[in-house]
Amino acid sequence: MRQGRTVAAALIPDAGDREPLYELIELLFFAYRDFVGDPDRLLETFKFGRAHHRVIHFVDRNPGLTIAELLEILKITKQSLNRVLKELITQGFIESRLGIEDRRQRHLHLTEKGQRLARDLASLQTQRIARAIAECGAQDALAARRFLNAMIEPELRSSVERVITSKGPLT
C-alpha cells in the first residue's frame, strides 16, 4: 500500500488508479493455497490431485450429474476430464450409469467409498472456514460471500448460485 492512502482507498481504486491490488491478489492466492492444501494432503494418499477433488466434490453435490454438465461446471475439456474420471471409476470412487431416458448419457454417482472421501475432504475445508468465521464473525462471513459472488462473471452468477445451493447443475 502506498504511503498516505487509507485501507479503504487502497482497496477501492478510483477510475484513474491503475495500481494492481497486490495485497488482495496475494491474500486470495495464500487463502486458496491453504484452503486446498488440507485436502491435497489427504488426496495424496490416493495418488489424486485437485482435479480429482473437484470431480468428487461436484458429483457428490449433484448425484446423477452428466459428463456434459460436469464439463460445464468445471469449464474444462472432455479430454482433460477423461483421465481423472477413469481413475476415479477404476478405483471405485465414482460409478457411471447409463441414462434412463437417453442411453447415450452417462450419469455420475459417488460410490459409498467416494461419499466417505467427499465428506472427509469437505470436513477439512469446513473446519478451516469455521475457524475463519469464528475469528472474523458472521457479518464478515456474509461480506466474504458477497465478495466472492461478485468475483464471478455477472452472466454466470445465477447458474453458479443454482449449483452451490443444490438446485441442479448449470444449464
Side-chain angles (χ1 to χ4, degrees), residues 2-19:
R2 289 183 295 197
Q3 233 20 26
R5 289 183 73 193
T6 66
V7 173
L11 294 179
I12 307 169
D14 60 32
D17 189 355
R18 298 292 179 233
E19 184 176 323

Side-chain angles (χ1 to χ4, degrees), residues 78-96:
K78 193 171 186 178
Q79 182 179 0
S80 61
L81 175 63
N82 280 341
R83 178 190 60 82
V84 169
L85 193 54
K86 183 179 179 184
E87 289 173 351
L88 290 168
I89 290 170
T90 301
Q91 293 188 38
F93 290 91
I94 288 182
E95 61 183 19
S96 175

Side-chain angles (χ1 to χ4, degrees), residues 2 12-13 31 36 60 69 71 74 82 99 120 146 149:
R2 289 183 295 197
I12 307 169
V36 297
D60 178 49
E69 291 166 335
L71 290 170
L74 298 176
N82 280 341
D120 290 346
R146 286 192 304 272
N149 190 58

Side-chain angles (χ1 to χ4, degrees), residues 53-148:
H53 184 187
R54 291 181 188 111
V55 170
I56 289 168
H57 175 84
F58 285 107
V59 172
D60 178 49
R61 297 283 293 144
N62 302 280
L65 191 69
T66 66
I67 290 175
E69 291 166 335
L70 182 59
L71 290 170
E72 181 62 24
I73 289 170
L74 298 176
K75 297 289 188 201
I76 60 174
T77 65
K78 193 171 186 178
Q79 182 179 0
S80 61
L81 175 63
N82 280 341
R83 178 190 60 82
V84 169
L85 193 54
K86 183 179 179 184
E87 289 173 351
L88 290 168
I89 290 170
T90 301
Q91 293 188 38
F93 290 91
I94 288 182
E95 61 183 19
S96 175
R97 302 177 192 163
L98 292 177
I100 295 170
E101 294 174 18
D102 185 347
R103 309 276 303 161
R104 295 172 296 177
Q105 286 186 331
R106 291 170 47 205
H107 295 267
L108 304 173
H109 297 268
L110 291 184
T111 62
E112 201 172 302
K113 180 179 175 181
Q115 289 173 353
R116 280 193 306 275
L117 180 56
R119 295 296 179 259
D120 290 346
L121 294 167
S123 177
L124 290 170
Q125 291 181 313
T126 298
Q127 290 170 24
R128 184 171 290 277
I129 291 169
R131 188 181 74 220
I133 291 171
E135 190 174 315
C136 294
Q139 284 304 112
D140 286 343
L142 291 173
R145 188 187 194 289
R146 286 192 304 272
F147 173 80
L148 291 171

